[in-house]
């Protein structure tokens, strides 16, 4: 029997947590709730989650700070919820470590779709060996360990998915829409801010000089091309 995926919901509005908990539980997820950031961190330390869904605006510790604290020790997928839908706020959330951003109000169907997409492992996983070696890169698909020139680096789930897609399409120019559709899904093809943020994150982690990248190259106005090295 397949183990139920565990989801931690963090929100100070009890009405929202009740709705989210009921909807997610009904669809087979094991759900726990925290009313604010510190309580979420306490629960996080003793309960192993597959996904965290957190509100942006909360007392004492907001969603951004919670994301940053979680990212200090974990690559657990994070979905941020907020009534703010402007691009600057989305970018701030993604920079803090969120994998996705959902603007309130939203329907349960949309949330479930985002949850499935965020929990989904990297595209096409399982259609090849468990280890990929390409140029300067070595990736274990089973443990999700990534090595660049022999040095291990820690990636968030979406950073990992993006890197794997790049490696599998080395040398090809990949358009913004192609990358967004394959990593985030067909509903995200206009969300270019997602791609900009995660490309910046990846470059900081894998490039010796992110300002002069040698692995992830920009094709102006079109997309990106990945060169794995010798």
């Amino acid at each position: 029997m397949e183990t139920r995926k565990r989801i931690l919901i963090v929100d100070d509005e009890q009405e929202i947590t009740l709705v989210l908990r009921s909807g997610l539980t009904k669809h087979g997820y094991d759900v726990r709730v925290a009313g604010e950031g510190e309580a979420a961190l306490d629960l996080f330390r003793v309960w192993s989650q597959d996904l965290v869904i957190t509100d942006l605006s909360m007392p004492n510790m907001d969603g951004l700070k919670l994301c940053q604290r979680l990212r200090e020790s974990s690559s657990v997928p994070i979905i941020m919820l907020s009534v703010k839908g402007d691009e600057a706020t989305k970018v701030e959330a993604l920079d803090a470590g969120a994998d996705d951003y959902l603007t309130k109000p939203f329907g349960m169907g949309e949330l479930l779709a985002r949850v499935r997409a965020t929990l989904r492992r990297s595209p096409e996983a399982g259609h090849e060996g468990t280890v990929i070696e390409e140029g300067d890169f070595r990736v274990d698909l089973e443990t999700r360990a990534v090595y660049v020139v022999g040095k291990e680096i820690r990636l968030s789930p979406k950073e990992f998915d993006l890197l794997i897609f790049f490696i599998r399409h080395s040398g090809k120019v990949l358009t913004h829409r192609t990358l967004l559709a394959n990593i985030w899904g067909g509903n995200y093809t206009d969300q270019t801010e997602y791609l900009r943020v995660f490309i910046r994150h990846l470059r900081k982690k894998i490039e010796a000089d992110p300002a002069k990248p040698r692995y992830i190259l920009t094709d102006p106005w079109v997309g990106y091309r990945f060169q794995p090295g010798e």
Side-chain angles (χ1 to χ4, degrees), residues 207-223:
E207 301 280 3
D209 182 357
K212 297 178 181 178
R214 59 183 292 250
Y215 297 126
I216 302 176
L217 309 179
T218 300
D219 195 310
W221 309 110
V222 178

Side-chain angles (χ1 to χ4, degrees), residues 105-198:
F106 52 81
M108 183 55 65
E110 182 178 7
L111 176 65
L112 288 166
R114 299 291 186 98
V115 167
R116 288 192 297 270
T118 305
L119 287 172
R120 190 179 301 127
R121 293 181 69 86
S122 56
E124 304 174 44
H127 293 282
E128 57 187 278
T130 59
V131 175
I132 298 176
E133 294 188 82
E134 188 79 20
D136 295 338
F137 293 78
R138 184 177 187 275
V139 182
D140 188 317
L141 296 175
E142 186 172 347
T143 64
R144 297 173 80 83
V146 178
Y147 300 85
V148 183
V149 196
K151 180 181 178 182
E152 185 172 10
I153 58 173
R154 175 182 286 175
L155 300 180
S156 73
K158 278 292 181 281
E159 291 166 0
F160 182 88
D161 292 350
L162 184 56
L163 178 63
I164 292 301
F165 194 78
F166 271 135
I167 291 175
R168 286 179 170 140
H169 299 85
S170 294
K172 298 179 181 178
V173 175
L174 301 171
T175 66
H176 301 134
R177 289 179 66 86
T178 295
L179 290 165
L180 287 163
N182 281 276
I183 305 304
W184 283 274
N187 294 328
Y188 291 77
T189 53
D190 295 325
Q191 303 291 330
T192 54
E193 69 271 20
Y194 277 59
L195 193 54
R196 289 200 304 271
V197 170
F198 280 87

